[in-house]
Amino acid sequence: DSGVTQTPKHLITATGQRVTLRCSPRSGDLSVYWYQQSLDQGLQFLIQYYNGEERAKGNILERFSAQQFPDLHSELNLSSLELGDSALYFCASSVLGAGGAYQETQYFGPGTRLLVL
Amino acid sequence: DQQVKQNSPSLSVQEGRISILNCDYTNSMFDYFLWYKKYPAEGPTFLISISSIKDKNEDGRFTVFLNKSAKHLSLHIVPSQPGDSAVYFCAGWSGGSNYKLTFGKGTLLTVNP
């Protein structure tokens, strides 16, 4: 158990809908990262938040957004869903993840499996 | 485009033998590498890492080798155990103003008893 929790575990929805994925980082970790893993693909980095602020951005679509709250949990919002958005979405956390500590080990949650029909 | 490539989708070895998983990267912006292991229905778990200033890092049965001139790294598992059967991801940190962690597509390792 990495200490990172993600809810829900599974989500089935229809095209055009909007969903919210939730992540609670390990106790004390300030950074949260979101990744997408599609079929036969590696993990694609989406976005990182550090202590409530957006820190780094990867291949995140404009239809997707995220935020990190004062209690450090994070939410990933996916809107106008398309069939191709079906994937595993992982959240990870690390102690700092900023400045000279950007190479820190990241601890991953179990993921949310999203199926768009 | 910065890429990390794992060209072998799968690898099968006998228990007790050596497993060698390979990874290539495309440019010198990568300065730190990690290997993650992933079991089905779980998130990836950190295994071992190596900085670009080193050429080898060892942790128990796991050793990672880095060849900067060839832009190649490998993970050696000796001896391999059935519990090592999992998907192994190679990942690289690229620095600069927009640092990020780039993952390969993974290699499925099967260790046969």
Side-chain angles (χ1 to χ4, degrees), chain A residues 37 40-42, chain B residues 6-14 19-22 35-41 75 77 80-90 104-112:
Chain A
Q37 185 183 20
D40 294 332
Q41 296 292 317
Chain B
Q6 294 177 259
N7 293 318
S8 297
S10 63
L11 175 68
S12 183
V13 300
Q14 285 300 118
S19 295
I20 300 176
L21 298 108
N22 294 304
W35 285 92
Y36 280 84
K37 180 167 78 171
K38 184 182 181 302
Y39 293 117
L75 174 68
I77 306 174
S80 301
Q81 300 173 353
D84 296 329
S85 297
V87 177
Y88 289 78
F89 290 99
C90 170
K105 292 187 179 182
T107 297
L108 173 62
L109 173 66
T110 302
V111 180
N112 302 302

Side-chain angles (χ1 to χ4, degrees), chain B:
Chain B
D1 185 27
Q2 299 161 12
Q3 291 185 18
V4 173
K5 298 178 181 178
Q6 294 177 259
N7 293 318
S8 297
S10 63
L11 175 68
S12 183
V13 300
Q14 285 300 118
E15 181 179 4
R17 307 294 287 269
I18 184 171
S19 295
I20 300 176
L21 298 108
N22 294 304
C23 179
D24 298 294
Y25 57 99
T26 55
N27 66 53
S28 302
M29 286 298 291
F30 290 108
D31 56 8
Y32 198 83
F33 300 91
L34 306 93
W35 285 92
Y36 280 84
K37 180 167 78 171
K38 184 182 181 302
Y39 293 117
E42 294 183 12
T45 56
F46 170 73
L47 200 55
I48 192 169
S49 63
I50 187 166
S51 166
S52 61
I53 63 173
K54 296 187 175 182
D55 55 18
K56 177 181 173 181
N57 190 25
E58 198 169 348
D59 184 1
R61 296 186 298 114
F62 302 91
T63 303
V64 57
F65 296 93
L66 176 61
N67 182 335
K68 286 177 63 178
S69 61
K71 295 188 177 63
H72 176 83
L73 62 157
S74 60
L75 174 68
H76 293 213
I77 306 174
V78 183
S80 301
Q81 300 173 353
D84 296 329
S85 297
V87 177
Y88 289 78
F89 290 99
C90 170
W93 275 110
S94 50
S97 59
N98 191 25
Y99 63 84
K100 67 173 185 176
L101 188 60
T102 302
F103 281 80
K105 292 187 179 182
T107 297
L108 173 62
L109 173 66
T110 302
V111 180
N112 302 302

Side-chain angles (χ1 to χ4, degrees), chain A residues 9-78:
Chain A
K9 282 189 166 38
H10 302 276
L11 197 48
I12 301 175
T13 188
T15 55
Q17 295 298 305
R18 172 189 168 95
V19 297
T20 297
L21 313 183
R22 183 189 167 101
C23 168
S24 293
R26 294 186 320 158
S27 177
D29 283 1
L30 296 178
S31 271
V32 169
Y33 311 78
W34 286 98
Y35 292 87
Q36 179 193 56
Q37 185 183 20
S38 302
L39 193 64
D40 294 332
Q41 296 292 317
L43 285 84
Q44 298 289 320
F45 169 66
L46 296 178
I47 197 164
Q48 177 203 353
Y49 275 81
Y50 167 72
N51 204 20
E53 300 288 330
E54 182 183 306
R55 182 67 183 88
K57 213 165 187 176
N59 304 320
I60 188 166
L61 299 172
E62 285 190 12
R63 300 184 285 110
F64 295 0
S65 65
Q67 53 184 327
Q68 186 179 29
F69 295 86
D71 68 352
L72 300 177
H73 91 270
S74 177
E75 292 180 357
L76 179 67
N77 301 297
L78 314 177

